[in-house]
Amino acid sequence: MGYKIVVVGATGNVGREMLNILDERQFPVDTIEVLASRRSIGTEVSFGEKTLKTKDLDTFDFTGWDIALFAVGSEATKKYAPIAAKAGCVVIDNSSLYRYDPDVPLVVPEVNPEAVMGYTKKNIIANPNCSTAQMVVALKPLHDRARIKRVVVSTYQSVSGAGKDAIDELWDQTKSIYNPVDNKPPSKFTKQIAFNVIPHIDVFMDDGSTKEEWKMVVETKKIVDKDIKVTATCVRVPVFVGHAESINIEFEDHLDEDEARDILREAPGVMVIDKREDGGYVTPVECVGDFATFISRIRQDSTIDNGLNLWCVSDNLRKGAALNAVQIAETLGTRCLKKG
């Protein structure tokens, strides 16, 4: 007997990817339902060889359902997640709404799978920010060996992290560069994204950082270790899918680059592609559609006593969102619900 699964926000980029990954990983689904807002009712989505029609989230009864994967914004989640949770359906939420709630576990299964046990407080589990998810997969095995003191990360984040409208804006703007009469001014972004980079993701905070940068700091502390110091600069780049990160790590103990490479090769969810030659590293284009978090450019930082640099790339719609949510569901099933 498998699980009764609900995908909320099934018509969006992440919702569709959740359905793909549930099928690809052969998650033990007994029954599945796909939900969307009223304006998208009846939209068809694919689940393996099946075609499903979305139903109305507003009138759906979550009673008797095991797990709801939420891929909608914070406002909709704020309204509907407590309804699902109260009905006995465990919510795995991809929005930022519950990430910082002390009664809601924030989980990356390769890093802190034991945290899922805390779901019982609110019947909700939070999925981390896409840029945080791939970084902590790389940090955790290194932290276990040499204890991380400080992380300096600069991100190169694709437009898909901002949704379908952002993808369309990059596409339309790129074409308009070659057509002077077809001007496409910024709409989703604050400045032109085509052939440009924008050091601004989410809103600005009082200290001058953006909320995206703040998320990486707070989430890394909650998932890995509250004592790790993190500083981040988050940048949007003209790439459709795939986030990249340049990560500088300072450890309490010495960690040789060769040992770090060996540790990461054995780490769950990590693929090391690190050859010191032309093309001996992974770029966002190459990671699209893959489950792994790719690590390249591993090298000592000679400017500090115990430092390493590395390059981290992952498909943000997968590991940064849909895949991690499904992995949480798998972990929840194995450790807690025990069906399928």
Side-chain angles (χ1 to χ4, degrees):
M1 184 178 175
Y3 293 92
K4 296 183 69 176
I5 302 294
V6 182
V7 177
V8 180
T11 59
N13 289 336
V14 174
R16 291 177 187 269
E17 199 65 23
M18 285 175 171
L19 290 166
N20 289 337
I21 293 170
L22 285 167
D23 177 62
E24 287 175 23
R25 293 175 72 88
Q26 297 184 317
F27 187 87
V29 174
D30 185 40
T31 309
I32 190 164
E33 201 70 86
V34 289
L35 308 181
S37 62
R38 195 155 284 175
R39 69 177 182 274
S40 298
I41 294 172
T43 301
E44 293 185 345
V45 294
S46 297
F47 175 59
E49 296 181 356
K50 298 178 181 178
T51 299
L52 308 175
K53 285 190 177 183
T54 56
K55 294 185 177 179
D56 187 4
L57 169 59
D58 201 43
T59 59
F60 187 77
D61 183 1
F62 288 91
T63 304
W65 294 84
D66 297 309
I67 300 171
L69 301 173
F70 269 63
V72 290
S74 293
E75 283 303 311
T77 300
K78 186 176 183 180
K79 179 177 179 180
Y80 296 105
I83 294 172
K86 188 176 181 180
C89 181
V90 182
V91 171
I92 299 173
D93 175 33
N94 194 60
S95 81
S96 62
L97 183 64
Y98 291 105
R99 290 174 188 161
Y100 318 109
D101 186 327
D103 291 332
V104 174
L106 181 66
V107 178
V108 176
E110 297 93 337
V111 177
N112 62 337
E114 70 287 343
V116 298
M117 306 297 285
Y119 84 94
T120 54
K121 292 180 180 178
K122 287 193 174 180
N123 232 23
I124 297 171
I125 302 171
N127 210 22
N129 188 42
C130 49
S131 51
T132 304
Q134 68 187 69
M135 183 172 76
V136 297
V137 168
L139 294 182
K140 181 58 163 62
L142 301 178
H143 181 64
D144 288 344
R145 162 61 181 82
R147 293 200 64 80
I148 295 171
K149 291 171 60 178
R150 181 172 185 256
V151 174
V152 181
V153 57
S154 296
T155 71
Y156 306 76
Q157 294 178 230
S158 65
V159 296
S160 57
K164 182 181 181 300
D165 290 344
I167 295 173
D168 292 341
E169 184 162 318
L170 173 57
W171 175 249
D172 292 338
Q173 248 180 30
T174 301
K175 291 187 295 181
S176 75
I177 297 293
Y178 297 98
N179 184 359
V181 300
D182 183 26
N183 183 41
K184 298 290 184 183
S187 174
K188 185 71 177 179
F189 298 108
T190 56
K191 291 180 181 282
Q192 174 185 311
I193 185 61
F195 301 96
N196 198 17
V197 297
I198 304 173
H200 174 195
I201 301 177
D202 213 323
V203 298
F204 275 97
M205 305 184 74
D206 290 342
D207 66 353
S209 62
T210 64
K211 194 168 184 182
E212 185 82 358
E213 293 156 356
W214 174 84
K215 289 173 187 174
M216 293 194 75
V217 174
V218 177
E219 292 175 20
T220 300
K221 288 175 175 290
K222 185 171 180 178
I223 296 167
V224 183
D225 189 327
K226 63 180 176 57
D227 294 326
I228 295 176
K229 295 179 180 179
V230 181
T231 182
T233 301
C234 294
V235 182
R236 192 72 73 187
V237 297
V239 171
F240 287 113
V241 179
H243 288 357
E245 298 171 349
S246 172
I247 306 174
N248 175 266
I249 311 167
E250 182 180 359
F251 297 92
E252 289 185 4
D253 302 316
H254 178 72
L255 179 59
D256 178 81
E257 63 186 46
D258 292 326
E259 184 182 356
R261 198 173 286 109
D262 290 341
I263 289 169
L264 289 168
R265 282 198 177 107
E266 298 299 319
V270 173
M271 180 73 70
V272 175
I273 307 291
D274 188 21
K275 298 180 180 179
R276 294 178 177 178
E277 60 186 41
D278 293 352
Y281 41 81
V282 173
T283 60
V285 168
E286 296 156 293
C287 79
V288 175
D290 207 297
F291 290 137
T293 294
F294 293 90
I295 306 297
S296 309
R297 303 293 318 280
I298 303 167
R299 61 205 189 278
Q300 304 290 161
D301 176 5
S302 61
T303 67
I304 51 178
D305 288 338
N306 301 310
L308 282 177
N309 290 302
L310 55 85
W311 175 251
C312 176
V313 178
S314 191
D315 182 331
N316 56 292
L317 296 180
R318 290 205 153 208
K319 186 55 194 167
L323 171 61
N324 199 73
V326 173
Q327 287 177 306
I328 290 172
E330 291 170 344
T331 306
L332 178 70
T334 302
R335 289 178 176 245
C336 307
L337 304 184
K338 301 184 186 299
K339 292 172 69 175

